Amino acid sequence: MEFTILDSIPDLTNFKSFTDRYFSKRYILNVDRIKNNDIMLMFHSNRITLLSLAPSHFFFKKNDNYKINFVIGKIDRLSNSVKGKGKKGGQLLTAKSVICKIEYNDGESFDVPSCMKGTLIEVNEELVKHPKLLKEMPDSNGFIAIILSSIAISEATKSELLSHEDYLKIMTNESSNNEK
Amino acid sequence: MNQKTIFKFCKDLGCCDRCCLRYLGVKIPNAYENSNEYVARFQDEPTSNIKSQEDIQSNENTTSGKDNVIVTDAVTKSDNTCSASVHTDNDSDKDIEGIQDNATGDVDSDNIHNDNMEYKNGILPPTKRRKLHHCVSCLGILQEDTWPDTNLMLKEMLHKKSYECPTFACALSAPIATLLRERAVTLLVREAYPEYDPNTLTPLKEAWKWSYGAQAAAHVGRSLHSGAVSPLLVTVNMEYPHEMQELEILKALSPSLFESRSQQRKRFAVEFTRRAAEQALAGAAAAALRAAGWPAPPEPAAHARCAAVHAAHAPLHLAGRYIKLSRELPQTPWILNGVRMMESSVQEIIFAPIAAAYGLTPEECEHRLKFMSAGREDVDVRCLGDGRPFAVEVTDPRRELTEAELKRVCEDISAGGKVVVREMMYVTREELAELKKGEETKCKTYEALCIKLSHSEHEHDKSPTEPVTVTEQDIANINSYSNTSEPGVRVQLVQRTPIRVLHRRPLLARTRHILQLSAAAVPGQPALLALRVRTSAGTYVKEWVHGELARTAPALQAALRARVDILALDVARVHLDWPRRAHPAPR
């Protein structure tokens, strides 16, 4: 009876990335009625949620340099801290809460809303040093924030938002419409 | 004040012989076991002036049978341990006692006092039918009349649970009224003899163990030991029918205490507890008891009875190492929102044959067996090598499984093919502590199958469309990688609590170490590499391989200089020598 890790080589044709293995993606399109202000929420099976921009967000069309600012009015998202198992002390978020601002060098900027009620667990500090991550890997290392909601809210949000499959269908339709 | 006077004083109050010895502070077990013989020295003309316990002890051997002849067991019936001379002398008396055995009901205390006086004068009233006297202090608990009932219940309980344990320890749960009565007696002795030290009192439960316990040993065919020695503990619960009425007197002694208790009904569900009684009695004086209507503890109208016997054997701990061969098997039942996620678990596979050997039903399993282990692995991680140390706690076991049974248990566990246990043994509590401590200190060796996801930094000449391959240079980069000069450590990393456990654990950034690291190419799989990693306790290896969105840093990516992810993980070795082999089963 000799076992080695080499007897566990999986079928690589269905290889899934880290986020695709553990998270299910949901989308909100045209947030605040701003065209292509499209947000992506990635739900872990344990209800922890990652916030990021959907690939169809207008952000990905613009090639100017930008910075990510986590200071919203008087609140600095970077100073968020949570204590204990209950994550006490985390900043409370509503769907409208702004997590960060994307500020272009030309002075333009836009807000990234939380899109879900919950507690802010952490923001991705790497984005401050490496803003490019948001553009290059929005569904992995370029995530914006980790949010924890109650089971009820996270289940409800997850079920009412656009699923990944439906999102892909809409995107295909839109691009074919544009071609026409 | 001499001991004889105190003995007589207590006797006149209505104490049984053993209680008299308790008030004298006698702490010799044999004195209580054979009280008939022992009390002689306090009843007769003293052969010597007894001053101390040592004296008593040294006298014990020299006390002749002749002394015993004069002893009359008016109160405490003679038992089998009495010398033959006593039996012959008291033959006529024994007949009376035989009748007394069945006597219950009202007792005339005056009558008894008279009896005692007559006995002491050596005048036996053989025709007079004496009524059963219940001790005013122990309520009969130390009197042999109450023992047969208890013996019966004790035997029945031990028979029902059929323990194999050859020894036992016993504990007494006595009525609270005995505390009240003890206090009343000590106060009276103190009043009559101010130099008497009430702290010399031998506790009732000790005297009971030495007398009742010693006697019960023969009845149940087990030897009596202290609770520290025998794992089998028998608790005898004695109840006194007039307990509640009698404890009312405590309210007179300490009205404020019980008023505040009754106001806080929610906090104090029971009106009289042992603690409350002790509090109420702590400051009580003889005058207060007298004022409350207790000039002396009254003769109890009935003796305390054995209400229940509980028996429990200290838990046993079975230990071994499990090898987990399945990637679809959690360590413990995985139930999410009341829904079972996986059909079995390592715990259940190990429990089943143990439960069968002990004859436990599945319901009993739940609270009688407890699974413990040195850490755990994920559902999809195998645990190979010589496996992971674990222990199963068996609550209230009736017996120890034999070597052959243990072997059979291992065979049954391993038969399913998902879990293999080669050997099981019993371990002590001290060894169990090592298992738990090991969880925090042990290191582990893993084997990880990884996939390279991007070209390495030194491969910038490669086109992005070219397939990603693991090169010799990549392997060399990993094998030479280190980011710390700390001795014995290859990689120092900081891990934030992984997202997959973040919902139930605090968010922290912890420093962890990789102690050994080596990589090898995988034949026939150009994009894969196999890692062998030895880590300090608490390192999340999967997260270190893929970096978990940069929440673990540095990750394997820093060594490989390319993006990388994990495909499969095995625990190759848990570096904890436990349980130690060649451990003889405790007997």
Side-chain angles (χ1 to χ4, degrees):
Chain A
M1 191 175 68
E2 202 49 52
F3 294 91
T4 131
I5 194 70
L6 298 181
D7 56 38
S8 300
I9 298 170
D11 177 4
L12 295 175
T13 52
N14 332 324
F15 175 74
K16 282 182 169 179
S17 73
F18 166 72
T19 30
D20 287 340
R21 285 205 295 277
Y22 299 109
F23 295 83
S24 58
K25 293 172 174 170
R26 294 292 185 274
Y27 302 85
I28 316 167
L29 305 182
N30 310 322
V31 177
D32 294 333
R33 298 196 185 141
I34 302 166
K35 180 143 175 65
N36 284 343
N37 190 16
D38 301 344
I39 300 294
M40 173 169 67
L41 290 174
M42 294 181 278
F43 292 85
H44 193 275
S45 54
N46 69 7
R47 83 178 192 269
I48 283 185
T49 310
L50 302 183
L51 171 73
S52 198
L53 301 182
S56 53
H57 197 285
F58 58 75
F59 163 77
F60 295 98
K61 301 243 165 69
K62 185 163 174 171
N63 281 322
D64 291 9
N65 282 337
Y66 60 91
K67 281 192 297 201
I68 297 167
N69 187 355
F70 283 104
V71 181
I72 312 300
K74 284 179 186 167
I75 304 164
D76 183 359
R77 299 289 183 206
L78 289 168
S79 69
N80 184 68
S81 78
V82 291
K83 267 196 178 150
K85 288 180 191 171
K87 314 293 180 296
K88 288 203 179 94
Q91 295 171 7
L92 297 179
L93 307 172
T94 66
K96 298 242 176 259
S97 299
V98 177
I99 300 295
C100 64
K101 288 173 183 291
I102 315 293
E103 298 171 345
Y104 291 97
N105 286 356
D106 61 9
E108 270 189 47
S109 74
F110 70 92
D111 293 344
V112 179
S114 149
C115 291
M116 191 170 73
K117 196 180 163 187
T119 308
L120 183 65
I121 304 297
E122 66 182 48
V123 292
N124 189 356
E125 293 169 22
E126 290 293 306
L127 293 179
V128 178
K129 282 176 273 173
H130 309 288
K132 273 187 175 177
L133 285 171
L134 180 59
K135 187 150 275 177
E136 289 166 2
M137 315 168 92
D139 72 343
S140 63
N141 292 26
F143 78 97
I144 293 168
I146 300 179
I147 300 167
L148 179 66
S149 285
S150 67
I151 296 176
I153 292 176
S154 116
E155 284 304 311
T157 317
K158 199 170 151 185
S159 64
E160 71 195 26
L161 296 185
L162 198 60
S163 73
H164 187 61
E165 294 68 31
D166 292 344
Y167 173 76
L168 290 183
K169 269 183 217 160
I170 291 172
M171 289 305 120
T172 339
N173 289 343
E174 272 188 14
S175 60
S176 57
N177 286 345
N178 289 347
E179 277 164 30
K180 281 174 200 170
Chain B
M1 178 186 82
N2 72 29
Q3 300 205 305
K4 246 189 92 175
T5 349
I6 305 277
F7 186 92
K8 184 172 182 302
F9 186 86
C10 294
K11 195 88 206 172
D12 289 347
L13 282 176
C15 289
C16 67
D17 283 354
R18 290 190 176 98
C19 279
C20 291
L21 295 176
R22 292 206 297 126
Y23 289 105
L24 285 179
V26 173
K27 302 256 181 335
I28 308 158
N30 193 42
Y32 292 90
E33 191 180 348
N34 302 314
S35 61
N36 287 326
E37 291 173 39
Y38 197 82
V39 296
R41 69 202 66 201
F42 303 112
Q43 292 177 325
D44 303 317
E45 291 307 311
T47 47
S48 66
N49 230 346
I50 298 156
K51 278 175 192 151
S52 67
Q53 298 296 333
E54 279 79 12
D55 280 340
I56 296 170
Q57 233 159 353
S58 63
N59 282 341
E60 203 152 61
N61 298 332
T62 56
T63 308
S64 68
K66 203 169 176 251
D67 286 325
N68 290 332
V69 177
I70 314 162
V71 178
T72 53
D73 41 2
V75 178
T76 315
K77 286 194 304 172
S78 70
D79 62 22
N80 301 334
T81 54
C82 271
S83 65
S85 57
V86 174
H87 281 254
T88 39
D89 248 53
N90 291 350
D91 264 350
S92 56
D93 201 27
K94 282 214 73 140
D95 292 336
I96 300 164
E97 282 161 9
I99 299 159
Q100 278 175 6
D101 265 343
N102 303 323
T104 46
D106 294 337
V107 175
D108 181 352
S109 66
D110 282 342
N111 205 350
I112 279 140
H113 276 264
N114 288 341
D115 282 358
N116 285 345
M117 298 318 284
E118 282 163 349
Y119 267 57
K120 273 171 195 155
N121 297 332
I123 304 158
L124 275 166
T127 50
K128 191 172 171 188
R129 195 186 146 125
R130 283 175 298 117
K131 290 191 178 170
L132 188 67
H133 163 90
H134 305 309
C135 171
V136 297
S137 178
C138 69
L139 301 170
I141 288 168
L142 297 181
Q143 292 177 293
E144 281 141 53
D145 308 76
T146 65
W147 294 357
D149 282 353
T150 314
N151 282 338
L152 216 66
M153 288 177 79
L154 180 60
K155 246 175 124 167
E156 199 183 348
M157 172 57 70
L158 290 175
H159 180 75
K160 197 178 110 198
K161 295 182 86 173
S162 61
Y163 295 102
E164 274 184 7
C165 184
T167 64
F168 79 112
C170 59
L172 169 71
S173 164
I176 299 170
T178 58
L179 290 179
L180 167 64
R181 286 168 171 273
E182 263 173 22
R183 184 72 182 167
V185 173
T186 27
L187 286 171
L188 289 171
V189 178
R190 191 77 193 270
E191 202 176 44
Y193 306 96
E195 65 273 37
Y196 176 76
D197 176 10
N199 294 326
T200 63
L201 177 69
T202 304
L204 175 60
K205 56 181 187 194
E206 293 302 322
W208 177 81
K209 273 184 221 167
W210 294 330
S211 55
Y212 174 78
Q215 169 272 163
H219 267 274
V220 299
R222 291 164 213 259
S223 61
L224 178 70
H225 291 270
S226 85
V229 175
S230 178
L232 178 57
L233 179 69
V234 175
T235 309
V236 171
N237 187 8
M238 299 293 287
E239 278 180 9
Y240 173 47
H242 306 296
E243 172 106 328
M244 291 325 274
Q245 297 101 287
E246 204 159 304
L247 293 181
E248 286 294 320
I249 205 167
L250 293 173
K251 286 185 185 166
L253 291 176
S254 185
S256 57
L257 175 72
F258 289 95
E259 245 164 60
S260 79
R261 282 177 70 89
S262 72
Q263 275 161 12
Q264 303 176 62
R265 269 281 154 76
K266 274 186 188 154
R267 228 180 111 198
F268 304 107
V270 183
E271 190 170 25
F272 300 110
T273 60
R274 201 160 289 272
R275 206 180 127 67
E278 277 165 4
Q279 279 176 344
L281 290 169
L289 268 170
R290 203 168 278 131
W294 263 39
E299 163 85 26
H303 63 75
R305 285 170 193 285
C306 177
V309 173
H310 300 281
H313 193 289
L316 284 173
H317 297 98
L318 275 167
R321 297 179 78 103
Y322 73 80
I323 293 164
K324 174 175 171 278
L325 297 174
S326 169
R327 294 195 187 279
E328 286 161 348
L329 188 69
Q331 192 198 49
T332 52
W334 184 16
I335 291 152
L336 197 67
N337 303 326
V339 183
R340 216 191 158 95
M341 304 300 286
M342 294 269 176
E343 68 176 274
S344 188
S345 64
V346 173
Q347 175 186 304
E348 286 157 287
I349 289 172
I350 290 175
F351 276 4
I354 296 175
Y358 272 111
L360 304 176
T361 64
E363 294 77 54
E364 280 178 308
C365 248
E366 241 169 70
H367 60 271
R368 293 275 299 279
L369 300 180
K370 194 173 135 200
F371 189 79
M372 290 168 271
S373 66
R376 64 210 66 77
E377 57 282 305
D378 293 341
V379 174
D380 59 354
V381 174
R382 297 186 300 185
C383 186
L384 307 174
D386 50 10
R388 183 186 293 277
F390 74 94
V392 176
E393 180 175 282
V394 187
T395 305
D396 195 17
R398 310 301 194 251
R399 64 191 186 94
E400 266 178 22
L401 302 181
T402 62
E403 288 289 321
E405 282 174 311
L406 288 177
K407 201 166 167 247
R408 178 75 198 276
V409 165
C410 292
E411 285 165 7
D412 288 354
I413 290 169
S414 311
K418 289 182 175 174
V419 175
V420 175
V421 175
R422 295 210 174 93
E423 192 184 5
M424 278 182 113
M425 59 192 84
Y426 284 99
V427 291
T428 62
R429 275 193 181 280
E430 290 72 36
E431 288 171 288
L432 201 66
E434 277 177 52
L435 171 76
K436 287 174 182 164
K437 217 169 82 191
E439 192 166 345
E440 295 144 32
T441 56
K442 68 181 183 322
C443 42
K444 282 179 276 183
T445 300
Y446 293 91
E447 280 192 357
L449 187 67
C450 308
I451 181 166
K452 186 178 165 186
L453 295 174
S454 65
H455 294 311
S456 307
E457 281 166 31
H458 60 268
E459 296 173 318
H460 35 71
D461 51 326
K462 285 194 181 172
S463 115
T465 52
E466 219 176 306
V468 172
T469 56
V470 174
T471 62
E472 274 178 37
Q473 181 64 52
D474 289 333
I475 300 296
N477 283 346
I478 293 175
N479 287 340
S480 63
Y481 177 81
S482 177
N483 73 344
T484 173
S485 56
E486 205 174 311
V489 179
R490 280 283 297 280
V491 185
Q492 181 166 312
L493 52 108
V494 175
Q495 280 194 315
R496 289 187 191 218
T497 306
I499 293 170
R500 63 191 161 101
V501 297
L502 191 55
H503 62 300
R504 56 184 163 89
R505 301 228 177 111
L507 172 61
L508 289 170
R510 301 176 177 88
T511 301
R512 295 290 185 241
H513 292 130
I514 286 174
L515 310 171
Q516 286 167 17
L517 170 63
S518 63
V522 177
Q525 294 287 345
L528 304 193
L529 64 143
L531 287 186
R532 199 170 169 91
V533 199
R534 182 167 168 165
T535 69
S536 62
T539 311
Y540 291 99
V541 178
K542 287 177 179 172
E543 277 70 17
W544 172 70
V545 172
H546 58 57
E548 207 205 18
L549 313 176
R551 296 179 80 253
T552 288
L556 178 59
Q557 181 170 359
L560 180 63
R561 298 176 211 172
R563 288 196 296 117
V564 58
D565 204 344
I566 188 159
L567 297 173
L569 184 66
D570 286 336
V571 176
R573 195 170 160 205
V574 178
H575 299 263
L576 179 68
D577 182 16
W578 195 96
R580 300 264 161 83
R581 266 161 228 286
H583 183 278
R587 268 284 156 199

